[in-house]
């Protein structure tokens, strides 16, 4: 197998309540919403997307913020969701701006994987709608159909999102995954708990691996201290996902664990 390149690209910043990455910050079960919490409880976290350049195809993991948040984020995100999530997107940090800097266009993307459908992960979807395949787990899409208020379906209006059906492979915290290229190098893994269908990505090559956790983990503290996120649909699954990330981080083959909102991460390229 030739080398695999992974690009960590910072696509803006999200302002949210301090309990979103760390449930321990408050006993208020609704603190994550930010309602009546005030700016003293707000934290600003990076929003990372990841580009995998593989010999068999290019995969974008999440999309970050749309450029529309620079003008009117309340209109773009909806005023309700903008209470919980504030967006900052400096010029040059939109996903398409960063792809262009790498000499790529959205048409060249073989897959766009939406790890889950929260606004900071799908806001920029329209910018890359010309990708060959846009996908998310069927469990996540089912949660949307049930009317979960955490989602804004207008962000992918008229964009076909293909469902991913996880197979019982024994891989990951819940034993379910999909081998994208059928060679073990890139696998979409069920790391649900934060949402009904949160999906991580395990990239393996040359005896090493990188794990992208999405929001199953918010930062290093999450997996080192088993720190639960403030938003969960299933606490037991969320714990299992954290434990798996922790266990994976201890393996000698582990190069990096990459979360979406880890302040320790800097834009960089990994070669596997």
């Amino acid at each position: 197998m030739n080398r695999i390149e992974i690009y960590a690209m910072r696509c803006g910043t999200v302002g949210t309540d301090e309990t979103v990455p760390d449930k321990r910050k408050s006993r208020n079960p609704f603190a994550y919403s930010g309602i009546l919490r005030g700016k003293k409880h707000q934290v600003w976290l990076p929003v990372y997307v990841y580009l995998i350049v593989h010999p068999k195809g290019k995969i974008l993991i999440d999309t970050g913020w749309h450029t529309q948040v620079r003008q009117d984020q309340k209109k773009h995100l909806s005023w309700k969701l903008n209470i919980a999530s504030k967006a900052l997107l400096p010029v040059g940090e939109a996903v398409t701006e960063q792809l262009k800097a790498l000499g790529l266009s959205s048409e060249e993307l073989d897959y766009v994987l939406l790890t889950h459908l929260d606004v900071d992960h799908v806001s920029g979807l329209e910018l890359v709608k010309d990708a060959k395949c846009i996908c998310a787990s069927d469990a996540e899409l089912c949660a949307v159909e049930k009317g979960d208020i955490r989602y804004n379906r207008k962000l992918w209006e008229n964009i076909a999102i293909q469902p991913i059906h996880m197979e019982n492979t024994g891989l990951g915290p819940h034993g379910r995954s999909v081998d994208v290229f059928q060679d073990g190098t890139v696998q979409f893994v069920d790391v649900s708990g934060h949402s009904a269908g949160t999906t991580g990505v395990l990239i393996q090559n040359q005896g090493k691996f990188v794990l992208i956790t999405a929001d199953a983990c918010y930062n290093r503290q999450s997996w080192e201290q088993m720190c639960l996120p403030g938003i969960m649909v299933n606490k037991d699954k969320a714990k299992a996902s954290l434990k798996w990330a922790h266990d994976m981080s201890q393996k000698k083959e582990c190069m990096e664990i990459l979360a979406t909102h880890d302040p320790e991460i800097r834009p960089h390229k990994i070669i596997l």
Side-chain angles (χ1 to χ4, degrees):
M1 173 61 65
N2 295 323
R3 74 180 192 176
I4 300 171
E5 298 177 347
I6 305 166
Y7 294 82
M9 304 186 297
R10 181 167 178 157
C11 290
T13 306
V14 60
T16 193
D17 192 87
E18 63 187 351
T19 57
V20 170
D22 188 347
K23 185 176 175 60
R24 300 172 299 180
K25 296 289 185 179
S26 175
R27 293 182 179 180
N28 177 355
F30 302 106
Y32 66 84
S33 69
I35 297 174
L36 302 178
R37 292 277 289 168
K39 289 187 176 180
K40 68 178 181 179
H41 295 295
Q42 190 176 65
V43 293
W44 289 91
L45 305 172
V47 177
Y48 274 92
V49 306
Y50 297 99
L51 174 67
I52 303 169
V53 178
H54 187 284
K56 296 181 180 179
K58 298 177 180 66
I59 306 173
L60 181 69
I61 311 300
D62 290 329
T63 68
W65 297 121
H66 195 294
T67 51
Q68 290 176 358
V69 303
R70 294 170 180 162
Q71 287 78 43
D72 190 345
Q73 60 184 266
K74 287 184 179 180
K75 180 179 180 181
H76 174 69
L77 301 176
S78 83
W79 69 268
K80 290 181 181 179
L81 295 179
N82 192 224
I83 293 173
S85 297
K86 308 293 190 296
L88 287 176
L89 184 65
V91 173
E93 289 194 6
V95 63
T96 43
E97 294 168 340
Q98 300 206 49
L99 288 173
K100 184 178 180 180
L102 293 171
L104 297 173
S105 65
S106 60
E107 292 92 339
E108 296 176 80
L109 298 173
D110 295 279
Y111 296 93
V112 174
L113 169 68
L114 304 172
T115 62
H116 59 302
L117 300 175
D118 283 344
V119 292
D120 51 325
H121 295 256
V122 301
S123 169
L125 181 54
E126 186 184 26
L127 299 175
V128 294
K129 64 182 180 181
D130 294 326
K132 295 170 187 173
C133 177
I134 297 169
C135 54
S137 74
D138 51 7
E140 192 75 359
L141 293 170
C142 183
V144 172
E145 291 302 317
K146 290 179 180 178
D148 194 318
I149 62 171
R150 72 192 280 179
Y151 303 121
N152 180 1
R153 297 176 64 166
K154 289 184 178 180
L155 295 176
W156 57 89
E157 194 171 28
N158 301 320
I159 298 175
I161 302 177
Q162 303 300 318
I164 299 169
H165 178 68
M166 297 288 182
E167 301 169 355
N168 294 320
T169 61
L171 178 66
H174 314 306
R176 303 172 70 239
S177 64
V178 171
D179 190 338
V180 179
F181 297 120
Q182 299 299 306
D183 60 7
T185 57
V186 179
Q187 299 185 73
F188 297 160
V189 183
D190 178 359
V191 292
S192 56
H194 169 67
S195 73
T198 310
T199 302
V201 186
L202 180 64
I203 308 110
Q204 303 177 97
N205 197 30
Q206 308 291 347
K208 299 290 185 179
F209 72 82
V210 171
L211 174 62
I212 299 172
T213 68
D215 287 1
C217 305
Y218 270 76
N219 49 49
R220 180 179 299 275
Q221 180 177 288
S222 298
W223 65 80
E224 288 186 345
Q225 300 181 18
M226 291 295 290
C227 176
L228 289 168
I231 304 173
M232 295 177 286
V233 298
N234 187 308
K235 187 175 181 179
D236 289 339
K237 283 190 171 184
K239 283 183 176 180
S241 294
L242 282 175
K243 185 179 185 303
W244 184 64
H246 172 269
D247 292 348
M248 292 293 281
S249 74
Q250 301 300 301
K251 294 180 179 293
K252 67 180 186 301
E253 300 86 359
C254 180
M255 287 188 69
E256 289 194 49
I257 305 289
L258 300 171
T260 302
H261 304 294
D262 191 343
E264 293 185 17
I265 294 175
R266 296 293 181 268
H268 65 295
K269 179 173 77 171
I270 305 164
I271 298 175
L272 272 178

